[in-house]
Amino acid sequence: MADSRDAPPKKNFLIRWSRALGDAIAGTPAFLKYYRLAILGAAIYVFTFPNFLWTKTTLWPLAFIALAPMLAMADRAQTAKAAFKVGLVSGFFANLGKLYWLLHTIHHYGHFPLPAAILVLALLCLTIGSFWGVAFWANWSMSKRGGFSIWITFPLAWMLLEWWMTVAMGIGFPWLAIGHALIGWLPLAQIADVIGGMNLSLPVAFGNVVAYEAWRAARAERPNYPVKQAAGLFAVLLVFLVYGLVRMGQIDKQMEAGETIKVGMLQGNIDQNEKWSEGNRVKTLRIYRRQAEEVKEKGAELILMPETALPFWQTQGKRLSRPVRAFLSKIDRWMLVAVPTRVPNEDDPEWPYKYNSAGLVSPDGKIVTWYNKHRLVPFGEYLPFKKIAIPLVTWLKTFEPLEDLRFSAGFYPGEEYVVFDYPRGRFGIAICYEVIYPSIVRTVALPGVAFMTTITNDAWFGDTSAPHQHWDQVRMRAIELRRYFARSANTGISGIIDANGRTISQTGTYVAKTAVGDVRTMQTQSIFLRFGEWFLHLCVLACFGLLLATYRRHRRRGA
């Protein structure tokens, strides 16, 4: 008989965890009560964007007060650690509400059991929440330890967060910076062609300080209302508004002078789970063939199809496969064909490089140029941190409920940005969520494109607010670059956005549909197109400067 000390103390282990779980549940009301201001702010934040209650409209003015309850709690924290916790809780609930649709993606397409999918979403929001925590920690440190004014520290700390969301861990996920809420009133958003859409978060963050200080004045916690600061914010927004109205008029004239290109956009509404089955591959070809002929009859000169629309692997450098050549044989139009592709690997011929690609095909059916997607979706298109992720995924799949997990498609990122030399105007492309990265889209447009295209497969998101959130970010890119965008999406939204960020045409979601519209060529060079995220970098440098000054002041006091 084995010594009892050799057996793991299962009973004690279960008792400890059950007690911990019981304590957590019992403590939930107290937790919610303590962090009520943080959670209130998170709820307001969610409704500044397309959300789970209404997808097509936003309450964008709420952006100017959404962070104020969080700030009120963090500013009264006794330590930087406590301020960090406020940011962590705020960021967790805010992003849980904004990114709720990822639950559908993880559960339905990742094949995670629902409890596991909820856990994964919670971990993601907790990670993003920790970034928010750092921003609130930085604000508390600069204002309390450094003695700098909160009117400066909070907006700069928030810009540090927005910057970090684009570069974090080499992945980044800048999905809807709070300044993007201003797309709800286009004239206010036009300044994005100077400073960039992400940097609209600076006046929004300042507005939240105004709201917080006004709340303090109402509670007699400060002697007077922040009238001067509110007037300053109003003056800045008035400048934005006047600039926007004037600039929109200027851009309207430039658009009228541009050459018109009629673009057709295909929206097959193909079920993601069925697209690659043998019978549905042929069906998919027929759907897109019919739609291509439809937009051709309506006068389309250039035809776009959604991301990886055709479920047939192609080899770059060789002729298109027979099914795709047959598909193109009678179209007789310039077409952007979206397919997965392979490139031979000389080091290991059995494992070719795989890309998420789009190729410009001439009317005679020949590929002119391939573009390979650069910014891939983590876990969906590639596994980040492979040394950790691959063993972890392998281990997870040994559990019966998780044996059907799906992660990476094994794609490689593209190595160079490509401009398509279409005879009537050079154009660039952003595939799927590349369009949420201002720096990527700017890099594509820099060589002098006349218009932009973006293709996506938003079927992953389900019938949620995500496609509408995605669409709004394309509108912001159009303003930054002062270029038309033509967009083709598998399940919608497909359509055309002009150089002022206006929606010229759009389809609904989850319908098989085509759209034909006019894109106008543009040659203007916006300040953002020429100099990129110059304003964001200045803000980040200023924030690091204040943090360094805070450290030195704190150290001198300690000495």
Side-chain angles (χ1 to χ4, degrees):
M1 185 174 179
D3 191 320
S4 61
R5 289 175 297 179
D6 296 333
K10 292 183 178 179
K11 186 175 181 180
N12 292 339
F13 173 82
L14 292 174
I15 289 174
R16 286 199 304 270
W17 275 96
S18 62
R19 284 176 178 171
L21 180 62
D23 291 343
I25 294 173
T28 297
F31 172 86
L32 295 177
K33 182 179 180 180
Y34 182 78
Y35 285 104
R36 61 188 181 278
L37 285 177
I39 296 170
L40 171 64
I44 298 171
Y45 174 88
V46 169
F47 291 108
T48 63
F49 306 110
N51 55 76
F52 54 87
L53 289 183
W54 51 81
T55 59
K56 297 181 181 180
T57 58
T58 63
L59 301 177
W60 65 267
L62 292 179
F64 289 94
I65 63 170
L67 307 179
M70 311 171 192
L71 181 58
M73 188 173 183
D75 192 51
R76 289 182 290 176
Q78 297 301 308
T79 64
K81 183 179 178 180
F84 173 87
K85 289 181 180 179
V86 173
L88 176 66
V89 173
S90 301
F92 173 79
F93 284 104
N95 285 281
L96 192 66
K98 183 172 72 174
L99 304 176
Y100 75 96
W101 42 266
L102 280 172
L103 184 64
H104 173 86
T105 306
I106 298 166
H107 175 52
H108 194 65
Y109 295 110
H111 291 257
F112 278 74
L114 186 58
I118 293 172
L119 178 61
V120 171
L121 177 59
L123 288 174
L124 173 64
C125 293
L126 199 61
T127 301
I128 299 175
S130 69
F131 302 157
W132 283 47
V134 170
F136 280 86
W137 167 87
N139 171 67
W140 191 96
S141 298
M142 291 184 291
S143 61
K144 303 299 184 184
R145 285 180 179 163
F148 296 104
S149 171
I150 196 174
W151 297 102
I152 299 172
T153 60
F154 185 71
L156 288 181
W158 194 263
M159 295 311 297
L160 181 68
L161 168 66
E162 301 287 24
W163 168 76
W164 181 244
M165 286 299 296
T166 68
V167 300
M169 298 179 292
I171 299 173
F173 189 55
W175 187 274
L176 284 179
I178 195 168
H180 277 67
L182 299 191
I183 201 75
W185 194 20
L186 273 177
L188 273 184
Q190 298 303 312
I191 196 72
D193 73 345
V194 176
I195 63 175
M198 190 173 295
N199 299 293
L200 294 173
S201 297
L202 187 71
V204 171
F206 186 87
N208 278 273
V209 183
V210 172
Y212 164 55
E213 294 292 350
W215 177 78
R216 287 185 62 216
R219 291 168 55 92
E221 293 179 8
R222 57 170 285 161
N224 46 50
Y225 284 89
V227 177
K228 292 181 180 179
Q229 292 87 348
L233 175 64
F234 179 79
V236 169
L237 295 179
L238 185 60
V239 169
F240 283 10
L241 179 61
V242 172
Y243 174 86
L245 293 171
V246 172
R247 189 64 172 146
M248 289 178 78
Q250 294 173 344
I251 296 299
D252 281 338
K253 292 179 180 178
Q254 293 179 26
M255 288 190 291
E256 291 174 5
E259 185 178 352
T260 299
I261 300 170
K262 197 169 287 292
V263 179
M265 292 142 289
L266 313 184
Q267 183 174 307
N269 194 34
I270 308 298
D271 190 306
Q272 189 64 23
N273 280 326
E274 299 177 0
K275 185 166 76 173
W276 282 91
S277 63
E278 193 58 38
N280 281 300
R281 292 171 74 195
V282 176
K283 180 182 176 182
T284 298
L285 271 180
R286 289 173 180 167
I287 289 172
Y288 282 116
R289 176 65 176 269
R290 184 172 64 251
Q291 289 193 342
E293 290 175 345
E294 181 181 325
V295 297
K296 175 185 173 181
E297 291 175 2
K298 293 180 180 178
E301 305 165 72
L302 173 66
I303 301 174
L304 312 181
M305 62 172 52
E307 177 187 17
T308 59
L310 301 184
F312 295 90
W313 283 93
Q314 308 299 308
T315 301
Q316 294 189 28
K318 294 185 178 181
R319 295 179 69 190
L320 294 169
S321 64
R322 184 177 299 175
V324 176
R325 292 203 310 272
F327 166 81
L328 294 168
S329 61
K330 295 182 180 179
I331 303 301
D332 189 32
R333 288 291 186 275
W334 287 89
M335 177 177 283
L336 201 60
V337 175
V339 289
T341 64
R342 298 185 180 99
V343 173
N345 183 351
E346 295 179 0
D347 297 328
D348 192 348
E350 293 186 5
W351 293 94
Y353 299 108
K354 298 190 295 184
Y355 297 101
N356 180 345
S357 305
L360 181 63
V361 180
S362 62
D364 59 5
K366 294 180 180 178
I367 286 284
V368 176
T369 312
W370 284 111
Y371 171 83
N372 301 321
K373 183 178 179 182
H374 281 68
R375 187 57 69 116
L376 302 174
V377 178
F379 303 103
E381 294 178 316
Y382 82 105
L383 274 178
F385 320 116
K386 286 186 178 181
K387 290 183 179 180
I388 300 173
I390 291 177
L392 178 61
V393 170
T394 304
W395 176 72
L396 286 173
K397 295 183 77 167
T398 62
F399 295 92
E400 186 176 347
L402 303 176
E403 61 186 2
D404 293 327
L405 291 187
R406 294 181 186 176
F407 280 93
S408 170
F411 285 120
Y412 284 80
E415 296 179 354
E416 59 181 343
Y417 294 99
V418 171
V419 171
F420 293 116
D421 287 315
Y422 173 61
R424 298 198 57 203
R426 304 177 80 207
F427 69 92
I429 185 173
I431 298 179
C432 189
Y433 97 140
E434 284 184 325
V435 83
I436 75 172
Y437 294 87
S439 59
I440 290 180
V441 183
R442 172 183 169 264
T443 302
V444 172
L446 260 179
V449 300
F451 63 97
M452 287 291 298
T453 61
T454 178
I455 60 176
T456 186
N457 178 15
D458 285 357
W460 302 101
F461 299 149
D463 191 11
T464 65
S465 61
H468 302 275
Q469 294 177 359
H470 205 178
W471 176 263
D472 279 352
Q473 292 175 90
V474 183
R475 295 173 65 200
M476 190 63 80
R477 300 293 87 80
I479 296 172
E480 290 170 344
L481 304 179
R482 294 304 180 187
R483 293 295 184 272
Y484 270 78
F485 270 79
R487 186 178 196 254
S488 177
N490 174 30
T491 53
I493 304 168
S494 303
I496 291 176
I497 297 166
D498 76 6
N500 277 324
R502 296 190 195 96
T503 296
I504 302 302
S505 64
Q506 68 178 104
T507 63
T509 55
Y510 285 87
V511 290
K513 190 82 173 176
T514 63
V516 177
D518 291 337
V519 164
R520 292 183 178 270
T521 59
M522 299 282 289
Q523 297 301 328
T524 187
Q525 294 277 311
S526 69
I527 292 176
F528 180 82
L529 181 57
R530 282 184 283 175
F531 301 107
E533 296 280 12
W534 65 275
F535 191 82
L536 177 61
H537 295 153
L538 284 178
C539 291
V540 171
L541 285 173
C543 188
F544 278 126
L546 288 187
L547 285 170
L548 180 59
T550 296
Y551 171 74
R552 288 177 174 174
R553 287 184 180 184
H554 185 63
R555 199 174 173 190
R556 281 198 300 268
R557 291 190 194 117

